[in-house]
Amino acid sequence: MTNKKNILQDSHGRDHAYLRISLIERCNLRCTYCMPEQGVQLSPKSHLMTYEEIYEIAKTFVKHGVTKIRLTGGEPLIRKDIPVILEKLATLPVELSITSNAVIIDKFIDVLKANGVKKINVSLDSLDAAKFKHITRRHEFEKVYNNILLLVKEGFTVKVNAVLMKGFNDNEIIDFIHFTKDLPISVRFIEFMPFDGNKWDMSKMVSYVEVMNYVNASFSKDRVVRLEDAPNDTSKNYKIEGYKGSFAIISSVTNPFCDSCNRLRLTANGHLKNCLFSSTESDLLTTLRTGKPIESIIQKAVQAKFKVRGGMDTLEKLQEPKLHNNNRSMITIGG
Ligand code: SAM
Ligand code: SF4
């Protein structure tokens, strides 16, 4: 039984108004930091949420206070019924957004607009086609690059996510910032995070402080403007004076933003994850399929949320493989 209290408030007083729904475990890219080379064990199709089930679960969360839903994956746009999912979710009173690798997003401009999607996050880890191929194991640089330009032209608010890895793309930090000179986008540098099978090690990660060292070595202090971060923002935002766009750093490893976390994640097989780093999850789909209410499971999962990074509150714990290897690969969580 659920009690009367807000079921989306955790034991640390955090309210969760933001739900990320992963629509699919598969992807048309193979980013090395996101999935192991051999791929991941996929759930049988019958274990994945149908569009009706996605809608039913989303509706329950909205009833209890969710106001923002972001669709992710895997690659959400390769799911065949994505137009119907968008149409169904667009009937809910939420801000609907999507995170995509943008390889095929040009085919969805009209459907995204028709369903009120205004904010799109696109992954792009290099501005160099050969490096893009190396990291994604696919030759799709031109499409992604051109589609980012197309999205801007079509009036979407675009954020470009770049996961930084030492010796691979940290020498492109300034090129990425120059990319914001004439384009009104936000480039977000993401600290490389540990997930099952991604061969993470701390020495590969480029930290917030290191990014700012690059920035301060290239731009005079008075040109680097600290912007106000939005409430519950996971990033620290900056811009270069006179540039149309901005840049930000997401420092989940060196400087987690857990205090203001308002996010919950629903995996494509209908499991609720209360934190990106949590090694436990709660199966909502099986209960939904029996026709029983899912509120009490949601409440229990939210209550169990750790204060910091799924319980890995120190860098030492984060570096302990046995703690983060119990988690899924990112491709099956939905970033
Ligand atoms: N396919 C879509 C895309 O790439 O934008 C959506 C899913 S992807 C898992 C969501 C985000 O997670 C991407 O921005 C990606 O860069 C990020 N991500 C994946 N693995 C990561 C890792 N190990 N550390 C940091 N970010 C990661
Ligand atoms: Fe696919 Fe996105 Fe993962 Fe890259 S980061 S493999 S595009 S899900």
Side-chain angles (χ1 to χ4, degrees), residues 219-239:
F219 298 98
S220 59
K221 253 202 169 107
D222 54 322
R223 293 196 65 202
V224 182
V225 183
R226 178 77 168 94
L227 302 174
E228 200 177 323
D229 304 325
N232 306 107
D233 212 337
T234 54
S235 54
K236 298 183 181 64
N237 293 270
Y238 294 86
K239 74 178 286 159

Side-chain angles (χ1 to χ4, degrees), residues 128-146:
D128 173 293
K131 278 161 94 177
F132 178 94
K133 155 74 177 46
H134 182 81
I135 198 79
T136 64
R137 303 172 177 127
R138 293 290 183 271
H139 283 287
E140 302 285 13
F141 175 77
E142 299 285 325
K143 279 192 200 153
V144 173
Y145 187 86
N146 289 332

Side-chain angles (χ1 to χ4, degrees), residues 82-135:
I82 180 76
V84 190
I85 295 172
L86 286 166
E87 268 168 41
K88 293 285 283 177
L89 294 178
T91 65
L92 297 172
V94 289
E95 176 191 291
L96 190 57
S97 58
I98 191 162
T99 299
S100 166
N101 60 33
V103 174
I104 55 168
I105 208 163
D106 47 309
K107 313 219 168 24
F108 294 90
I109 301 292
D110 291 343
V111 83
L112 290 166
K113 281 188 180 174
N115 292 296
V117 176
K118 296 193 172 64
K119 297 182 177 175
I120 302 184
N121 291 1
V122 176
S123 294
L124 178 68
D125 307 303
S126 177
L127 293 166
D128 173 293
K131 278 161 94 177
F132 178 94
K133 155 74 177 46
H134 182 81
I135 198 79

Side-chain angles (χ1 to χ4, degrees), residues 22-59:
S22 173
L23 300 182
I24 189 162
E25 297 173 346
R26 289 180 297 111
C27 188
N28 45 357
L29 298 182
R30 291 273 177 287
C31 304
T32 55
Y33 53 77
C34 179
M35 64 186 294
E37 189 160 14
Q38 69 278 17
V40 291
Q41 179 77 45
L42 297 174
S43 304
K45 196 157 184 269
S46 61
H47 292 200
L48 299 179
M49 295 182 291
T50 63
Y51 74 83
E52 290 100 337
E53 289 164 341
I54 292 170
Y55 174 70
E56 281 310 314
I57 296 177
K59 206 166 72 176

Side-chain angles (χ1 to χ4, degrees), residues 33 72-75 99-100 123 161 163 190-191 193 195 198 330 335:
Y33 53 77
T72 178
E75 174 48 38
T99 299
S100 166
S123 294
N161 290 339
V163 177
I190 306 181
E191 288 181 349
M193 297 182 275
F195 296 101
N198 77 354
M330 183 63 141

Side-chain angles (χ1 to χ4, degrees), residues 41-315:
Q41 179 77 45
L42 297 174
S43 304
K45 196 157 184 269
S46 61
H47 292 200
L48 299 179
M49 295 182 291
T50 63
Y51 74 83
E52 290 100 337
E53 289 164 341
I54 292 170
Y55 174 70
E56 281 310 314
I57 296 177
K59 206 166 72 176
T60 305
F61 277 93
V62 171
K63 182 175 151 203
H64 290 282
V66 160
T67 56
K68 280 167 81 172
I69 291 181
R70 177 172 289 277
L71 303 179
T72 178
E75 174 48 38
L77 295 178
I78 65 169
R79 195 168 151 150
K80 294 275 181 298
D81 57 357
I82 180 76
V84 190
I85 295 172
L86 286 166
E87 268 168 41
K88 293 285 283 177
L89 294 178
T91 65
L92 297 172
V94 289
E95 176 191 291
L96 190 57
S97 58
I98 191 162
T99 299
S100 166
N101 60 33
V103 174
I104 55 168
I105 208 163
D106 47 309
K107 313 219 168 24
F108 294 90
I109 301 292
D110 291 343
V111 83
L112 290 166
K113 281 188 180 174
N115 292 296
V117 176
K118 296 193 172 64
K119 297 182 177 175
I120 302 184
N121 291 1
V122 176
S123 294
L124 178 68
D125 307 303
S126 177
L127 293 166
D128 173 293
K131 278 161 94 177
F132 178 94
K133 155 74 177 46
H134 182 81
I135 198 79
T136 64
R137 303 172 177 127
R138 293 290 183 271
H139 283 287
E140 302 285 13
F141 175 77
E142 299 285 325
K143 279 192 200 153
V144 173
Y145 187 86
N146 289 332
N147 278 342
I148 289 174
L149 303 185
L150 175 70
L151 290 171
V152 172
K153 188 168 145 259
E154 292 290 339
F156 291 99
T157 301
V158 180
K159 291 182 179 171
V160 170
N161 290 339
V163 177
L164 291 177
M165 274 157 294
K166 210 162 268 175
F168 176 71
N169 58 359
D170 48 346
N171 62 349
E172 292 191 65
I173 291 172
I174 302 305
D175 295 342
F176 268 113
I177 293 177
H178 286 317
F179 193 35
T180 70
K181 185 169 181 212
D182 298 315
L183 270 188
I185 56 171
S186 168
V187 170
R188 305 186 320 155
F189 300 113
I190 306 181
E191 288 181 349
F192 178 34
M193 297 182 275
F195 296 101
D196 188 32
N198 77 354
K199 302 197 178 126
W200 183 83
D201 101 52
M202 186 82 173
S203 66
K204 293 185 193 161
M205 190 204 64
V206 183
S207 70
Y208 172 47
V209 169
E210 288 168 317
V211 174
M212 289 315 291
N213 287 344
Y214 276 101
V215 172
N216 293 326
S218 295
F219 298 98
S220 59
K221 253 202 169 107
D222 54 322
R223 293 196 65 202
V224 182
V225 183
R226 178 77 168 94
L227 302 174
E228 200 177 323
D229 304 325
N232 306 107
D233 212 337
T234 54
S235 54
K236 298 183 181 64
N237 293 270
Y238 294 86
K239 74 178 286 159
I240 301 300
E241 199 192 47
Y243 282 22
K244 285 193 178 152
S246 58
F247 68 95
I249 303 158
I250 302 184
S251 54
S252 324
V253 176
T254 63
N255 209 337
F257 31 81
C258 306
D259 280 353
S260 61
C261 180
N262 67 344
R263 293 160 166 71
L264 294 170
R265 291 182 155 80
L266 183 63
T267 62
N269 65 342
H271 289 202
L272 181 64
K273 277 182 80 73
N274 61 16
C275 170
L276 189 54
F277 290 100
S278 108
S279 54
T280 58
E281 39 194 69
S282 307
D283 180 358
L284 303 183
L285 186 59
T286 302
T287 301
L288 185 84
R289 285 181 177 176
T290 63
K292 294 199 189 115
I294 55 174
E295 271 102 334
S296 58
I297 308 173
I298 295 174
Q299 182 171 35
K300 208 166 151 204
V302 171
Q303 283 298 306
K305 179 160 171 160
F306 280 97
K307 193 164 192 293
V308 176
R309 248 181 349 222
M312 293 180 283
D313 50 355
T314 61
L315 275 178

